[in-house]
Amino acid sequence: MNKSIFKRIIKYMSKSKLYMVLSLFSAIITVIASLIAPMLIGKTIDKMTGKGLVDFGYVFKVIIIIALVYIVGNIFNWLLTYLINLITFSSVNTIRHDLFKKISTLPLKFFDNSPHGDTISRFVNDIETISDGMIQTLSTLLTGIVTIVGAIGFMFYLNPVMTLVVLISSPASYFMARFITKRSQKMFKKQAKILGNLNAYIEEIIEGQKVVKAFNYEDDTIKKFKDINNDLCEVGTKSQFYGSLSGPTTRVVNNIIYSIVGVIGCFAAILGKLTIGDISSFLIYSILFSRPINDITAIFTQIQAAVASAERVFYVMDMESEVSDTKVAIDLHNNEGVISFRNVDFAYTPEHPLIKNFNLTVNPGSRVAIVGKTGAGKTTLVNLLMRFYEINSGCIFIDGTNINEVSRDSLRTNFGMVLQETWLFSGTIKENIAYGKPNATEEEIISAAKASGSSSFIRHLPKGYDTIITDLGENLSQGQRQLLTIARVMLVDPPMLILDEATSNIDTITELKIQKAFLKMLEGRTSFVIAHRLSTIRESDIILVMDNGNIVQSGTHEGLLQKGGQYAELYNSQFAPV
């Protein structure tokens, strides 16, 4: 097993040092109680099997003492279980927090390349598996180690020879379990991976259920789900089967040892070296000695599953975070909005360069429209400007300042973005509009809603601005969701704007109203508008036509139509009579 994984988990548990000390103390008391009882039982048996009358008074006293010992042991065993749960859930809470914190620092390419369902599975399924493994392992190890040491001491006291037989034979159980574990660990890793894929597929199909039904794709989705689910069933069955072999095999070894010890004990009793009570006590101690080993091998399945899940969680936590701001990163204040791209190169993958030696200068307050075919690099340009992706070479300047020298918070605060993909969270309409400005007054929120054209439909909702949005806005139409995201940016009122297909999901009449609001909001602000509907960009100061990551045409709407070329082709394809 991966030792580094165990070290990292132990590091998380070490944050609960007080609970760990109390757990160890509780484990010691629990084990002492379990070790005292067999010795008392042996002495009682000797009193009952010895010559003469049975001393029932003595027997009853010992029974009462044994009962008290077991009561104390069970109380501390309960306390141990409680403390272990505290340690586990505290540690898992920290792991989940660190994972979420790490997720927020990862670059966008992680989210672009990783199925969302698989990422969610790491947060839920994998961390729950780690939790189950920690509870079982802690409980078994804390009591097991103390029990083994104590049992060895009592066995040596009773009969060193039989003790040596037990100790010499015990490594066989360990090596048997280790042999099985090595061969089953791969199956548990594969099981965790397939489970992540299954979650990703389920999340994908549920989110796109309307499209699935529209294209009558239900049978195909069921077939694919069945294939993945069958793979999970097959791998899960094999992993559980192989993992479960360790328990029975070690028990077979321990039972053989138990039989050998019993035979030796009988001969010792015949020769007068041991009493019947001592044999009884020794056999109980040998069981106590082997039980932790059996318990550990029995939970190997959970341990392996926990290790496999921990590897998936720590894999994400070890990923390279987004490039940090420099220590001397500055904030943008009162910027004019002069934006320059100088000799910029960028590629999502090294073997497929997208933007080469790109140059562009945008004057302050300019309305820049970016058009082009799908995959031309329009959104990529905006991603680079916002530092969602880092450029491979070249520089981007705002008012003469390299954006790599500006803090990301400051850079992104100076831009307002309205994207084609709407994102709303579970909360009220009011909270969603105020997402970028939590301290906004109700009057400001209503004003932004009116400016975006969303106030009309909000007023007709059951609770108006206090209506709860559920399931990422599934109780609203796509157009209504888009209007709320526009209102969100209008409330923030940033000095620069990026509109990426901002009106793509809105009807023509509403679009005309929003265009008026946009024109007012765009006054005096440097703005970038990505659009496929060319009717929305006629008033732009400059239109950039992109193809394969480069600007192939630039100019005003009328000027580009007169020149002909790609812009004229795009425009005529939308407005020329059929």
Side-chain angles (χ1 to χ4, degrees), residues 295-314:
D295 290 342
I296 292 172
T297 56
I299 64 170
F300 263 143
T301 300
Q302 286 179 303
I303 294 174
Q304 290 176 92
V307 170
S309 293
E311 286 181 351
R312 281 169 47 81
V313 170
F314 292 139

Side-chain angles (χ1 to χ4, degrees), residues 439-455:
N439 59 346
T441 63
E442 188 167 348
E443 291 74 18
E444 289 175 321
I445 293 171
I446 294 173
S447 177
K450 288 180 178 178
S452 69
S454 58
S455 62

Side-chain angles (χ1 to χ4, degrees), residues 382-383 386 388 415-419 485 489 494 497-500:
V382 169
N383 286 339
M386 294 289 288
F388 291 148
F415 283 94
M417 289 191 74
V418 181
L419 305 174
T485 61
V489 173
L497 291 171
I498 295 173
L499 311 178
D500 189 350

Side-chain angles (χ1 to χ4, degrees), residues 51-179:
K51 296 178 180 180
L53 297 174
V54 177
D55 187 352
F56 285 103
Y58 174 83
V59 172
F60 286 137
K61 286 180 182 179
V62 174
I63 289 173
I64 293 171
I65 294 171
I66 291 173
L68 291 173
V69 167
Y70 278 126
I71 289 171
V72 171
N74 283 316
I75 290 173
F76 278 93
N77 189 43
W78 171 85
L79 180 60
L80 174 64
T81 303
Y82 176 73
L83 291 169
I84 285 173
N85 276 277
L86 282 178
I87 294 167
T88 298
F89 291 120
S90 175
S91 302
V92 166
N93 178 56
T94 306
I95 291 173
R96 188 176 278 118
H97 175 269
D98 287 351
L99 180 60
F100 190 84
K101 187 177 178 182
K102 180 66 179 186
I103 287 287
S104 66
T105 68
L106 293 176
L108 275 182
K109 66 180 180 181
F110 167 78
F111 302 97
D112 291 340
N113 299 328
S114 303
H116 294 172
D118 183 57
T119 304
I120 293 169
S121 182
R122 297 175 198 262
F123 273 100
V124 182
N125 295 1
D126 287 323
I127 290 184
E128 280 302 309
T129 303
I130 294 171
S131 174
D132 293 340
M134 286 176 65
I135 289 174
Q136 294 294 334
T137 305
L138 272 176
S139 177
T140 304
L141 286 181
L142 283 175
T143 56
I145 293 171
V146 181
T147 299
I148 289 171
V149 173
I152 290 173
F154 277 99
M155 285 192 294
F156 260 112
Y157 170 77
L158 292 171
N159 192 293
V161 175
M162 289 196 299
T163 304
L164 289 174
V165 172
V166 173
L167 293 178
I168 292 171
S169 305
S170 295
S173 300
Y174 169 77
F175 287 113
M176 186 71 72
R178 183 177 175 83
F179 175 81

Side-chain angles (χ1 to χ4, degrees), residues 370-372 531-539 543 557 566-575:
I370 307 174
V371 301
H532 284 113
R533 286 188 194 174
L534 302 188
S535 60
T536 63
I537 60 169
R538 290 175 178 174
E539 305 300 323
I543 299 172
H557 171 71
Q566 283 197 25
Y567 182 78
E569 289 178 11
L570 289 170
Y571 187 82
N572 291 330
S573 67
Q574 294 183 23
F575 299 102

Side-chain angles (χ1 to χ4, degrees), residues 20-30 76:
M20 289 293 291
V21 172
L22 291 174
S23 297
L24 182 60
F25 176 76
S26 299
I28 292 172
I29 299 299
T30 301
F76 278 93

